[in-house]
Amino acid sequence: MSKINNTIDFIRSQFPKQDFIPLHAPVFNGNEKLYVFDTIDSTFVSSVGAYVDKFEILMAELTKTNKAVALVNGTSALHVALRLSGVQNGDEVLTQALTFIATVNAIIYNGASPVFLDVDLDTMGLSPNAVQAFLEEYGELRDGVCFNKRTNKKISACLPMHTFGFPVNLDELITVCNKWNIPLVEDAAESIGSEYKNKPTGGFGKLGVFSFNGNKIVTSGGGGAIVTNDIELGIRAKHLTTTAKVPHAYEYVHDDIGYNYRMPNLNAALACAQLEQLNSFIQNKRDLAQDYQSYFNSIGIKFRTESAYTKANYWLMCVELENKKERDNFLKLTNDNRIMTRPIWQLIFKSTLYSAFQRDEQKNAIFLEERIVNIPSSVRK
Ligand SMILES: *Cc1c(COP(=O)(O)O)cnc(C)c1O
């Protein structure tokens, strides 16, 4: 009990002068107003404009990929990235149950089924060992294409998620996926600026996806992006998400059932100003993480830190409590004291909507679900 009271005081001391302390609030200290007013002055506030182009260039640079496409949100980016990776109606996609619902919804939008596999305890993201164990039991290569022997369905993608900005064990995951010819698509919605072996997340898979929602580390109000090293695929992503219109001076001809998933220029302006500050935001959050770590060490609560070979952006920071009872206690006392804390997501298959899909034992996911709590993680001013 007094541990938690001390924690409340400590968190308040990190975010002084705030009565209610949110989990994550955006910070607008850069060129946000300049760029947004500029789009208004230009009248190009909607689906085309200079900031959309600038944003796409910035994102490709930042993720060290060959092409980036600006989208209306991260969920639509996942939808299209899976489709472009080859996911079709009736297929299966390997993913984690310990994730935000959008990861799984995007699989369903493509008419495919999720297969829920366990996470690693250190990264809280999809476990390469779990993927390997599943494929050894159920996988079968037929003419180089991976099928699930139990369901007879094609396994057409693997979709790991970098939980709270902590990168998954990418080398091992890539090795398993390559062995079974399964394309990797990264849900990097939470991990912009995070690195695995000095390389940014999002650029490891066939395609990677980011979100710029208001609660993320940098925001465009609402927004998303697809990145890829395959330029052809990137061009296709742009085409599909801009109604699949064939370029022409005035005729309306569309060569596919595309989507209107473009990021408006107004939002791209905000995103550009925010991206300019990403490195300083990450440094600021890493400093906060250090302060949290020494504080929580001193009182014997486990603060979660990045694993070997990775650099996390520390989007949402978290502690791991001893058990569910301690977790519930921590949640209640902090929230009662106007400090926002949240449990990690409920495992997706616990919803009746998703309970029928194949899954493994989920030992680590269940362990983490009962213990992990997010704590206030905004950039300190
Ligand atoms: C935020 C988030 C998304 C979706 O992003 P939106 O921009 O809100 O649609 C997808 N996956 C994960 C893991 C997220 O955290």
Side-chain angles (χ1 to χ4, degrees):
M1 212 63 135
S2 80
K3 256 192 206 178
I4 302 180
N5 284 329
N6 289 343
T7 299
I8 288 166
D9 290 344
F10 181 80
I11 294 175
R12 286 215 170 277
S13 73
Q14 301 310 303
F15 300 97
K17 292 182 219 138
Q18 277 176 273
D19 173 45
F20 173 76
I21 302 176
L23 218 48
H24 203 281
V27 172
F28 301 120
N29 273 341
N31 289 320
E32 286 87 354
K33 285 183 185 168
L34 188 70
Y35 294 175
V36 169
F37 289 172
D38 186 38
T39 65
I40 295 171
D41 290 341
S42 77
T43 76
F44 284 90
V45 294
S46 194
S47 48
V48 292
Y51 287 102
V52 172
D53 300 338
K54 187 177 165 192
F55 170 81
E56 291 179 343
I57 290 166
L58 278 175
M59 278 303 291
E61 277 174 10
L62 196 144
T63 56
K64 299 200 167 77
T65 55
N66 291 328
K67 190 149 176 66
V69 179
L71 278 90
V72 71
N73 56 47
T75 308
S76 58
L78 280 168
H79 177 187
V80 172
L82 285 173
R83 173 165 164 183
L84 287 174
S85 78
V87 175
Q88 291 179 319
N89 210 23
D91 290 351
E92 289 181 343
V93 176
L94 309 181
T95 194
Q96 58 203 69
L98 189 70
T99 186
F100 177 58
I101 194 78
T103 314
V104 184
N105 283 345
I107 297 170
I108 305 288
Y109 298 161
N110 281 290
S113 304
V115 175
F116 296 117
L117 300 178
D118 207 357
V119 294
D120 280 331
L121 277 180
D122 59 345
T123 68
M124 301 184 280
L126 189 62
S127 163
N129 288 337
V131 173
Q132 181 165 318
F134 172 81
L135 289 169
E136 271 165 17
E137 188 168 358
Y138 297 104
E140 185 173 66
L141 283 171
R142 301 179 190 162
D143 294 328
V145 179
C146 188
F147 281 80
N148 180 341
K149 281 189 278 190
R150 179 164 132 180
T151 58
N152 229 8
K153 290 181 172 187
K154 183 179 159 190
I155 299 172
S156 53
C158 176
L159 180 62
M161 196 278 283
H162 304 297
T163 302
F164 306 141
F166 296 112
V168 302
N169 290 310
L170 278 159
D171 275 354
E172 294 81 357
L173 196 58
I174 288 166
T175 303
V176 187
C177 287
N178 286 346
K179 183 176 165 201
W180 293 89
N181 275 345
I182 300 172
L184 184 75
V185 179
E186 289 173 81
D187 183 346
E190 305 183 351
S191 69
I192 189 168
S194 295
E195 294 174 4
Y196 178 84
K197 297 190 177 170
N198 297 313
K199 202 183 139 190
T201 57
F204 287 83
K206 194 168 180 180
L207 302 122
V209 165
F210 293 93
S211 165
F212 298 88
N213 190 38
N215 65 339
K216 297 299 201 287
I217 187 165
V218 282
T219 184
S220 58
I226 291 176
V227 299
T228 179
N229 283 313
D230 182 335
I231 295 190
E232 289 295 309
L233 216 50
I235 291 168
R236 183 108 188 94
K238 186 73 183 176
H239 183 67
L240 256 191
T241 55
T242 55
T243 72
K245 185 176 181 294
V246 180
H248 190 279
Y250 44 81
E251 297 278 11
Y252 285 97
V253 180
H254 303 263
D255 64 3
D256 204 334
I257 300 176
Y259 307 94
N260 179 14
Y261 279 176
R262 309 175 247 234
M263 177 188 284
N265 198 40
L266 198 57
N267 298 79
L270 192 60
C272 286
Q274 287 265 286
L275 283 179
E276 290 171 355
Q277 300 162 84
L278 177 63
N279 286 337
S280 68
F281 287 175
I282 291 177
Q283 193 49 56
N284 185 303
K285 288 161 76 74
R286 291 178 64 81
D287 292 344
L288 173 60
Q290 286 251 307
D291 292 342
Y292 267 140
Q293 192 186 356
S294 32
Y295 168 74
F296 282 111
N297 265 347
S298 76
I299 61 159
I301 289 180
K302 184 171 176 188
F303 176 75
R304 300 285 315 214
T305 54
E306 62 201 3
S307 47
Y309 311 117
T310 72
K311 181 183 174 190
N313 66 5
Y314 283 94
W315 168 53
L316 282 190
M317 302 180 208
C318 54
V319 288
E320 179 184 316
L321 282 309
E322 287 291 323
N323 51 47
K324 187 162 183 304
K325 189 162 162 270
E326 296 266 317
R327 182 202 85 154
D328 291 344
N329 200 14
F330 186 97
L331 284 167
K332 174 144 188 15
L333 274 167
T334 46
N335 282 291
D336 281 354
N337 282 280
R338 303 182 60 68
I339 291 177
M340 186 170 170
T341 60
R342 285 284 179 272
I344 200 167
W345 311 278
Q346 184 189 63
L347 300 180
I348 302 284
F349 58 80
K350 291 195 173 172
S351 149
T352 51
L353 291 166
Y354 290 105
S355 59
F357 297 106
Q358 192 175 356
R359 60 176 188 263
D360 64 7
E361 216 188 327
Q362 305 285 318
K363 214 165 136 243
N364 296 339
I366 291 166
F367 179 94
L368 294 166
E369 185 197 30
E370 290 177 350
R371 290 168 178 80
I372 297 290
V373 173
N374 289 123
I375 56 179
S377 310
S378 305
V379 167
R380 284 184 295 190
K381 288 190 228 171

